Amino acid sequence: AQTVTQSQPEMSVQEAETVTLSCTYDTSESDYYLFWYKQPPSRQMILVIRQEAYKQQNATENRFSVNFQKAAKSFSLKISDSQLGDAAMYFCAYSLDNTDKLIFGTGTRLQVFP
Amino acid sequence: DTAVSQTPKYLVTQMGNDKSIKCEQNLGHDTMYWYKQDSKKFLKIMFSYNNKELIINETVPNRFSPKSPDKAHLNLHINSLELGDSAVYFCASSRRSLAEETQYFGPGTRLLVL
């Protein structure tokens, strides 16, 4: 079965500091896609970053970057220079190349303190 | 301009009732989805439609019936509502393959069954 595990139910960080959210997944496939979504209190699901499994280079989007370790099946999200607006639930998700469904982890609630 | 919209945003109803949630996307996407987010924030796919054709049905009770009148709309009808149906329901859309991009989510519909 394909699963996504986020072992940190809650994390906190000081404003302007860096935080890393962990995610591991389980698959026997070689072609897949990985995503991090942010869900603020407004409930809207917002894509933060995506990574194609065939790319060795880690994806980055401004203050957000990932550490993709394919052999270890690990896909952590690093948020640099944390801002108050980064406070939200963060979901790691995975999708096989030949399907359209996203399989989500259980989420990590991130608090940002001033 | 809202990309994926859902109505209503909130729905409070009695057990046993029948209700519908509507979803529309103006992105020209071929594929639409329904996800359910339970009280523990776990997000799970329910259905996926591609060009009005059912692609994914994740063993959802047959009280749930999705209907796609055209590829821009995917409605969710729920018969004989039960307490356990209380959740947030998200509609999403994407191009045919997640290889090209990702899924765009609607704002969610919070359903409360009393």
Side-chain angles (χ1 to χ4, degrees):
Chain A
Q2 294 134 21
T3 57
V4 179
T5 302
Q6 292 180 248
S7 58
Q8 307 151 317
E10 289 194 9
M11 290 284 284
S12 60
V13 64
Q14 204 88 32
E15 206 176 356
E17 297 295 308
T18 295
V19 65
T20 298
L21 309 183
S22 63
C23 172
T24 58
Y25 55 94
D26 185 22
T27 182
S28 56
E29 303 292 330
S30 58
D31 293 327
Y32 50 87
Y33 304 88
L34 296 161
F35 307 84
W36 277 98
Y37 277 87
K38 169 185 176 181
Q39 187 179 39
S42 66
R43 287 204 317 258
Q44 182 75 48
M45 292 290 287
I46 302 164
L47 176 68
V48 175
I49 202 163
R50 73 189 294 266
Q51 172 87 39
E52 294 92 341
Y54 62 83
K55 287 187 178 176
Q56 292 189 340
Q57 188 173 7
N58 289 325
T60 62
E61 285 288 342
N62 302 315
R63 297 181 297 106
F64 299 88
S65 61
V66 297
N67 183 3
F68 173 46
Q69 303 285 331
K70 192 170 184 179
K73 297 180 184 174
S74 169
F75 183 61
S76 60
L77 175 70
K78 185 169 91 169
I79 307 175
S80 305
D81 187 25
S82 297
Q83 300 176 358
L84 295 177
D86 295 334
M89 283 287 289
Y90 285 82
F91 292 95
C92 179
Y94 149 98
S95 176
L96 285 177
D97 186 34
N98 59 355
T99 74
D100 293 326
K101 69 177 183 183
L102 285 170
I103 297 169
F104 285 90
T106 49
T108 297
R109 181 177 301 281
L110 177 67
Q111 293 182 302
V112 182
F113 294 104
Chain B
D1 291 338
T2 305
V4 182
S5 59
Q6 293 177 228
T7 52
K9 288 187 80 171
Y10 300 94
L11 188 50
V12 181
T13 188
Q14 299 286 337
M15 243 171 43
N17 283 350
D18 302 339
K19 289 293 177 187
S20 292
I21 306 171
K22 295 185 176 181
C23 178
E24 177 181 1
Q25 55 94 4
N26 61 7
L27 296 166
H29 287 164
D30 299 316
T31 308
M32 295 184 73
Y33 313 79
W34 278 108
Y35 286 84
K36 178 180 179 181
Q37 186 174 39
D38 63 24
S39 58
K40 295 181 180 173
K41 300 290 187 184
F42 185 58
L43 256 166
K44 189 164 191 259
I45 190 165
M46 299 172 68
F47 300 104
S48 146
Y49 267 73
N50 177 257
N51 271 321
K52 303 194 295 176
E53 182 185 341
L54 180 65
I55 302 296
I56 295 171
N57 181 341
E58 289 285 307
T59 60
V60 177
N62 57 15
R63 297 183 296 104
F64 290 77
S65 52
K67 287 196 171 38
S68 181
D70 55 62
K71 75 174 195 176
H73 296 84
L74 180 61
N75 304 323
L76 184 65
H77 189 76
I78 315 171
N79 289 328
S80 304
L81 277 155
E82 299 177 358
L83 295 177
D85 297 333
S86 296
V88 180
Y89 292 85
F90 285 95
C91 178
S93 74
S94 71
R95 295 183 195 278
R96 180 61 184 96
S97 166
L98 284 174
E100 298 179 39
E101 52 181 56
T102 187
Q103 294 178 16
Y104 294 85
F105 283 79
T109 295
R110 184 179 290 279
L111 170 64
L112 179 60
V113 182
L114 302 174

